[in-house]
Amino acid sequence: MELYRLGIREAIELISKKEISPLELLESVFQRIDSVEERIKAYVTIERESAFNRARGLENKPMEGKLHGIPVAVKDNICTRGVRTTCSSRILENFIPPYESTVTSRLTVQGYILAGKTNLDEFAMGSSTENSAFFITRNPWDTERVPGGSSGGSAAAVAADECIAALGSDTGGSIRQPAAFCGIVGLKPTYGRVSRYGLVAFASSLDQIGPLTKCVEDAAILLNIIGGHDHHDSTSVAMSVPDFTSALGMDIKGLKIGIPREYFIEGVDKEVENGVRDAIKRLESLGAVPLEISLPHTEYAVATYYILATSEASSNLARYDGVKYGLRMDGENLIEMYMNTRHHGFGAEVKRRIILGTYALSSGYYEAYYRKAQQVRTLIRQDFENAFKEVDVIITPTTPTPAFRIGEKTRDPLQMYLSDIFTIPVNLAGVPAISIPCGFSGEGLPIGLQIIGRHFDEENILKVAYAYEQDTEWHKRRPVL
Amino acid sequence: MMEIEYIALLARLRLTEEEKELFSRQLGSIIDYINKLNRLDTSDVEPTSHVLPIKNVFREDRQGVSSERDEILRNAPSKKGGFYKVPKIIE
């Protein structure tokens, strides 16, 4: 088998036994990048030189870290010191962070190698990676289709074996939806589990960094490393981080899985529904107990999200003013400079969301929109709290359909927003969720299964995900490239 | 429909005529959709600004390590003498 196909656990095993070296692994990954990247376009920046230097530095060194010589791709909204971080936006096209994000600092301590920075919808606003200011990333299973978004570059890089694993960020589904579209594993941790320090802010009460990987165990390995309190992020929670890999392989007999009726509705693709229903049967055969439940406010989640996320974004993106960093376009006076800079620096979707958020927060509308949405957020959160009194995890489709075609939804923003209908409620409630492959459509497109857990109970969702994965073969399939 | 020019000014965004027309139409349909929240009676519901019961975090007011000025200024689009340079703001 080619080395680039490996996941973290397999690669580390071979490196620790000295059967392969970090340099051999890196060479294989870069050979793969050279042969497929032109068709996939997953990376904004490829860190070939620094990666090889680092691999040579690790060569023949005793193995100290848990990621000794593992090439990882990082979404280009996560700051890497000295390495350009663009958010796939013109306004940050030449931004070189003077500091390192906490997550990549923690990977560095464990000996990882940064393979490159991956493409995204500009500032993580989108569901298809078509909103990148630079280029469109393609789905490795069908290059006429989107990889999902906003972490589409990271998902495509993992699915196309252009890295061993990747990091993404998830505000309304931006890890799980592309993971589902690309047939890989994507985990959004509990809000507060992982430090957001160095993640370029989109909607601060919803954003969370997480892993995109080739298997469930690799997601657990990465969460072990990136999880935990960080004094640089006061919303990261001072709770001990368990060893998530120890939950894997545990019995799921008697575990109660909730099936929310609001997620099996008209508009859900038949093949997706069948894939998820089959997965539920499979879990039942492993001893889990399915129970029908209700999350009654589900249909209000997208509307709530698009008020809260755009309001927070309009505030967070006020910093791009052409003064301290990024693009500047001149103007007659200061206000004109701001307006010209932002006019040229932001793409259409970012402008739309800034305007919507500014409107929702503006005098006279605040109560009707922003406060109302915060109240509905409470109802959505309570839906999950009530459900988790009855069940241990909740199972749903990750997305209503498999990957859609490039250009299919770009003209109608609302249709694009609705593609996140099953992932958004999770962010509003702040609970953790994972997407894993659970089948393929007749056209050969991956289908994603979403497993949602209680606050800070990533262990149970990883346990269920692993039990299902080990009982099936879906995760072993790879796109033909 | 929202006063797009006024909102764009608040947001410090210059929009072209085409953008004004396009965004007005698109945001109009998004706001129609968002208005479905009005079907819910939330008069007795507390708003959620944050999902975790977290409080302010305090620390000792001690001098620590900070970034180098020149390194920070490296990203500045215009600078002079160790400062950011901006258009004249006092008439």
Side-chain angles (χ1 to χ4, degrees):
Chain A
M1 190 175 75
E2 298 290 347
L3 297 181
Y4 58 71
R5 291 243 185 259
L6 297 173
I8 297 174
R9 211 248 320 135
E10 304 157 308
I12 277 294
E13 212 170 282
L14 293 173
I15 289 173
S16 71
K17 288 188 198 150
K18 299 211 180 292
E19 288 177 30
I20 64 169
S21 77
L23 203 52
E24 284 169 327
L25 179 62
L26 191 71
E27 274 164 1
S28 175
V29 167
F30 272 88
Q31 266 171 26
R32 179 67 169 175
I33 290 174
D34 288 337
S35 78
V36 303
E37 172 63 6
E38 204 175 65
R39 280 171 284 157
I40 303 300
K41 309 282 277 174
Y43 286 100
V44 174
T45 302
I46 296 176
E47 277 296 293
R48 189 183 304 264
E49 203 186 314
S50 67
F52 274 93
N53 285 338
R54 190 140 160 83
R56 277 189 287 268
L58 292 169
E59 203 76 355
N60 305 318
K61 283 254 177 71
M63 199 172 129
E64 281 168 357
K66 292 175 180 136
L67 298 174
H68 186 88
I70 301 296
V72 176
V74 174
K75 189 177 182 180
D76 209 20
N77 62 348
I78 296 173
C79 287
T80 41
R81 185 174 184 153
V83 177
R84 192 170 73 119
T85 299
T86 67
C87 291
S88 290
S89 179
R90 293 273 172 231
I91 214 158
L92 286 178
E93 194 166 0
N94 299 306
F95 177 66
I96 300 188
Y99 69 105
E100 186 81 21
S101 73
T102 295
V103 289
T104 49
S105 294
R106 288 181 179 173
L107 298 187
T108 302
V109 168
Q110 299 299 334
Y112 100 120
I113 296 176
L114 176 67
K117 305 295 294 287
T118 55
N119 199 21
L120 61 149
D121 288 293
E122 186 177 359
F123 285 104
M125 297 181 188
S127 315
S128 68
T129 316
E130 290 166 292
N131 293 333
S132 166
F134 306 138
F135 47 79
I136 295 171
T137 297
R138 291 169 184 271
N139 190 314
W141 294 91
D142 176 352
T143 53
E144 295 305 307
R145 290 175 188 268
V146 302
S150 64
S151 311
S154 286
V158 172
D161 292 307
E162 293 186 75
C163 58
I164 301 301
L167 291 184
S169 68
D170 190 315
T171 304
S174 283
I175 288 173
R176 291 158 288 152
Q177 185 254 25
F181 280 10
C182 290
I184 60 164
V185 174
L187 172 65
K188 185 205 85 81
T190 308
Y191 183 84
R193 173 66 89 187
V194 177
S195 168
R196 294 180 294 110
Y197 180 70
L199 171 67
V200 178
F202 159 16
S204 307
S205 81
L206 303 160
D207 297 340
Q208 191 66 192
I209 295 172
L212 295 107
T213 56
K214 298 177 187 179
C215 64
V216 173
E217 185 171 2
D218 286 0
I221 291 170
L222 282 182
L223 187 60
N224 277 350
I225 295 167
I226 63 174
H229 179 250
D230 170 22
H231 70 273
H232 287 307
D233 174 6
S234 59
T235 62
S236 71
V237 172
M239 256 176 89
S240 62
V241 181
D243 175 5
F244 292 108
T245 59
S246 67
L248 309 179
M250 276 160 61
D251 200 349
I252 62 163
K253 271 199 188 72
L255 199 99
K256 290 183 188 139
I257 53 176
I259 318 298
R261 66 176 74 96
E262 292 82 4
Y263 285 66
F264 295 86
I265 48 172
E266 215 184 290
V268 177
D269 181 277
K270 268 289 149 218
E271 289 180 311
V272 170
E273 176 164 351
N274 292 339
V276 173
R277 297 246 183 237
D278 287 348
I280 293 164
K281 277 185 214 133
R282 181 73 72 123
L283 288 168
E284 201 175 355
S285 76
L286 294 172
V289 183
L291 292 170
E292 189 178 290
I293 59 164
S294 173
L295 298 167
H297 297 93
T298 300
E299 66 164 307
Y300 300 102
V302 173
T304 303
Y305 176 83
Y306 275 94
I307 295 172
L308 298 178
T310 60
S311 296
E312 293 186 30
S314 77
S315 167
N316 273 328
L317 272 64
R319 71 190 64 174
Y320 303 102
D321 57 5
V323 174
K324 300 176 292 297
Y325 39 74
L327 181 78
R328 173 187 293 191
M329 300 299 287
D330 289 329
E332 290 287 307
N333 52 44
L334 193 67
I335 299 263
E336 260 193 32
M337 183 197 87
Y338 293 154
M339 296 188 75
N340 288 339
T341 296
R342 293 159 67 81
H343 171 77
H344 285 96
F346 292 138
E349 181 60 22
V350 174
K351 287 177 187 166
R352 255 193 303 273
R353 294 202 197 190
I354 289 174
I355 291 171
L356 185 58
T358 305
Y359 176 68
L361 292 176
S362 64
S363 169
Y365 295 100
Y366 176 85
E367 294 279 326
Y369 290 113
Y370 188 71
R371 193 180 155 84
K372 181 80 181 181
Q374 284 189 314
Q375 288 172 313
V376 182
R377 185 176 187 181
T378 302
L379 298 175
I380 291 166
R381 193 167 52 95
Q382 288 169 347
D383 281 356
F384 282 96
E385 284 165 10
N386 291 333
F388 282 126
K389 287 176 193 153
E390 312 290 324
V391 298
D392 298 301
V393 298
I394 294 171
I395 291 203
T396 78
T398 307
T399 58
T401 68
F404 44 88
R405 285 181 193 285
I406 290 169
E408 191 178 322
K409 293 182 197 274
T410 42
R411 266 192 225 134
D412 187 349
L414 187 56
Q415 283 312 307
M416 186 74 89
Y417 298 172
L418 289 169
S419 72
D420 292 332
I421 189 164
F422 297 153
T423 48
I424 278 174
V426 168
N427 299 75
L428 291 170
V431 292
I434 194 169
S435 178
I436 59 171
C438 74
F440 287 82
S441 72
E443 292 179 289
L445 299 169
I447 296 169
L449 180 75
Q450 179 172 240
I451 307 168
I452 308 168
R454 298 184 181 99
H455 280 125
F456 297 103
D457 189 16
E458 287 88 355
E459 281 171 294
N460 256 321
I461 60 176
L462 285 163
K463 185 166 94 178
V464 174
Y466 187 78
Y468 177 79
E469 179 190 76
Q470 294 304 304
D471 201 49
T472 56
E473 299 284 319
W474 309 118
H475 64 293
K476 294 182 180 159
R477 278 207 216 171
R478 288 295 213 283
V480 179
L481 281 166
Chain B
M1 182 42 216
M2 65 163 83
E3 324 74 57
I4 192 110
E5 274 180 56
Y6 170 66
I7 300 295
L9 176 66
L10 288 180
R12 299 290 185 255
L13 273 175
R14 179 160 73 74
L15 300 180
T16 62
E17 288 307 313
E18 295 81 63
E19 282 175 327
K20 282 179 206 163
E21 194 275 325
L22 179 71
F23 292 166
S24 293
R25 187 160 45 78
Q26 289 173 330
L27 293 170
S29 69
I30 292 167
I31 287 168
D32 286 344
Y33 178 78
I34 282 172
N35 281 333
K36 77 192 290 184
L37 296 186
N38 294 329
R39 281 190 245 145
L40 289 171
D41 177 8
T42 52
S43 41
D44 296 326
V45 181
E46 283 294 312
T48 295
S49 56
H50 211 282
V51 288
L52 302 172
I54 52 173
K55 299 183 190 79
N56 275 336
V57 178
F58 296 100
R59 62 167 171 78
E60 292 293 308
D61 186 14
R62 275 200 316 259
Q63 191 179 334
V65 184
S66 185
S67 304
E68 288 294 322
R69 185 182 67 182
D70 289 347
E71 199 178 354
I72 298 289
L73 280 171
R74 204 167 293 157
N75 281 300
S78 181
K79 63 200 162 196
K80 193 177 179 184
F83 292 98
Y84 296 113
K85 200 176 161 195
V86 293
K88 196 170 134 188
I89 45 174
I90 299 162
E91 293 301 324

